Amino acid sequence: MDALMLDGNAAAGLLQEIFGSEMTTAVGTCHACGTAGEVGGVFLYRGAGLVFRCPQCDAVLMKIVVGGTRRWIDLRGLRALELDLELGT
Amino acid sequence: MGLTLVTGEPLRESQQDPKKEDEMPPISRGFRGRHRDDASSDRVPPGQYVTEDFPVLSAGPTPHTRLEQWDFSITGEVDNPHRWSWEEFRALPTEAVTVDIHCVTKWSKLDSVWEGVSVDTLLEGIETSGEYALPFCDGGYTTNLPLEDLTGGKAWVAFAYDGEPLEPEHGGPARLLVPHLYFWKSAKWVRGMRLAVTNEPGFWETNGYHIYGDPWKEQRYWGD
């Protein structure tokens, strides 16, 4: 447990803005270790941008950079991201 | 260190005013800043605030590498890779420097006092055809710089801050210090650098942040 660490719930608003859906209940699968879990529960770090990491293996799942009206999203660390649109409203 | 979480509501609110949004990241650390008015404008780049604090930003968990397991290496486009153990690294000539640092998240800190080994010293006697460097770190972080931004007395591998060993949360045991570029280039927990012929974007440069990062030109993001 790192003192600087947050969890994915802290980025709920930003994720909803980007994906247009409630994302904390979406399930992401780590590309590195295969662990699946809700986005709200993954580890979140704030460096120059936001870094979402796997709670199991610490691999980067997702990066988001916010710059003015622009957003950059790196999803390379997610093997899959499952949204249930019925839940995500 | 009181983290202030600002989630969805304020961000949506701020979208109505792009300028305001730019000043309010989705998650605020709540550090205290002041406008550049009371600091000489030739010391503070455009869009920056001066802070007395030393905010901690981190892209991942803080590594705690033991000094006996630490080394620094220069690899890539070199005839022979070079490697220093901690003991060998600390036996190199050191320099004390007082510099201003500028984080892309808009804080600047003036007159920060460091001690480190000049990158010029590390590169002494190393022949390379590479014009770029990709520093790499414990935890997997990387960043990219032209080699000429690391030489000529412009960059150090720093092991002390304010007269004390560099704390892990600030990048200890050693971090890169390149004060003339935004501070994400001053990679924490640095373990070496790979020299390359091409400019390969690093951890943040692949996802929105500027390939070079000159604070005086406000080169924060792609296209700036």
Side-chain angles (χ1 to χ4, degrees):
Chain A
M1 176 71 193
D2 198 287
L4 298 170
M5 197 182 75
L6 309 172
D7 68 31
N9 289 312
L14 178 66
L15 291 169
Q16 178 147 22
E17 177 207 65
I18 290 169
F19 291 94
S21 178
E22 160 57 39
M23 291 300 291
T24 56
T25 53
V27 175
T29 305
C30 174
H31 185 76
C33 76
T35 299
E38 291 193 348
V39 170
V42 306
F43 293 169
L44 176 64
Y45 292 86
R46 181 162 186 255
L50 298 182
V51 183
F52 299 74
R53 289 181 179 267
C54 175
Q56 193 66 38
C57 75
D58 267 336
V60 176
L61 300 173
M62 181 163 60
K63 293 186 254 181
I64 301 179
V65 168
V66 173
T69 55
R70 293 184 289 171
R71 308 285 181 266
W72 289 269
I73 305 122
D74 179 342
L75 297 169
R76 285 177 295 172
L78 284 172
R79 186 185 300 173
L81 184 60
E82 177 183 329
L83 291 76
D84 186 331
L85 296 182
E86 199 168 70
L87 293 174
T89 52
Chain B
M1 84 166 313
L3 291 174
T4 309
L5 299 194
V6 183
T7 51
E9 291 305 314
L11 186 63
R12 274 196 292 276
E13 199 176 279
S14 67
Q15 273 184 291
Q16 297 159 9
D17 179 351
K19 185 165 176 286
K20 183 180 171 191
E21 176 188 16
D22 205 40
E23 290 166 2
M24 183 183 285
I27 299 166
S28 163
R29 286 192 177 273
F31 42 74
R32 299 175 297 280
R34 61 178 199 258
H35 280 281
R36 53 188 300 197
D37 314 3
D38 52 353
S40 170
S41 61
D42 62 1
R43 302 268 310 265
V44 186
Q48 295 293 111
Y49 298 83
V50 174
T51 181
E52 303 291 330
D53 296 339
F54 194 170
V56 176
L57 283 81
S58 187
T62 301
H64 293 273
T65 303
R66 293 168 55 179
L67 294 182
E68 53 269 35
Q69 288 168 339
W70 187 95
D71 62 11
F72 188 91
S73 53
I74 295 179
T75 63
E77 292 292 322
V78 291
D79 291 342
N80 295 301
H82 284 59
R83 176 190 172 277
W84 295 263
S85 67
W86 179 259
E87 209 169 74
E88 291 164 340
F89 169 74
R90 288 295 287 108
L92 295 170
T94 65
E95 295 178 10
V97 291
T98 301
V99 294
D100 301 340
I101 55 178
H102 312 290
C103 178
V104 73
T105 61
K106 301 199 169 182
W107 57 265
S108 288
K109 187 170 178 58
L110 307 182
D111 297 321
S112 61
V113 179
W114 303 82
E115 190 177 356
V117 174
S118 168
V119 175
D120 293 312
T121 301
L122 295 164
L123 288 171
E124 254 169 43
I126 293 181
E127 293 289 326
T128 179
S129 54
E131 292 182 12
Y132 300 94
L134 197 75
F136 54 87
C137 307
D138 281 325
Y141 185 80
T142 58
T143 187
N144 59 290
L145 310 92
L147 200 47
E148 64 179 14
D149 283 89
L150 291 172
T151 54
K154 294 194 288 288
W156 298 266
V157 175
F159 54 81
Y161 169 75
D162 219 5
E164 301 287 338
L166 187 58
E167 290 179 19
E169 65 174 6
H170 287 304
R175 77 179 297 162
L176 197 61
L177 177 64
V178 194
H180 71 286
L181 299 177
Y182 279 126
F183 212 46
W184 89 76
K185 299 285 184 181
S186 294
K188 300 203 283 191
W189 312 305
V190 71
R191 290 290 300 273
M193 50 191 196
R194 182 163 60 80
L195 306 186
V197 174
T198 55
N199 195 9
E200 302 168 34
F203 185 89
W204 286 123
E205 293 86 354
T206 52
N207 194 53
Y209 278 108
H210 198 275
I211 192 79
Y212 183 65
D214 182 346
W216 296 97
K217 295 178 179 168
E218 279 211 84
Q219 292 174 337
R220 299 177 195 274
Y221 307 106
W222 289 2
D224 284 352

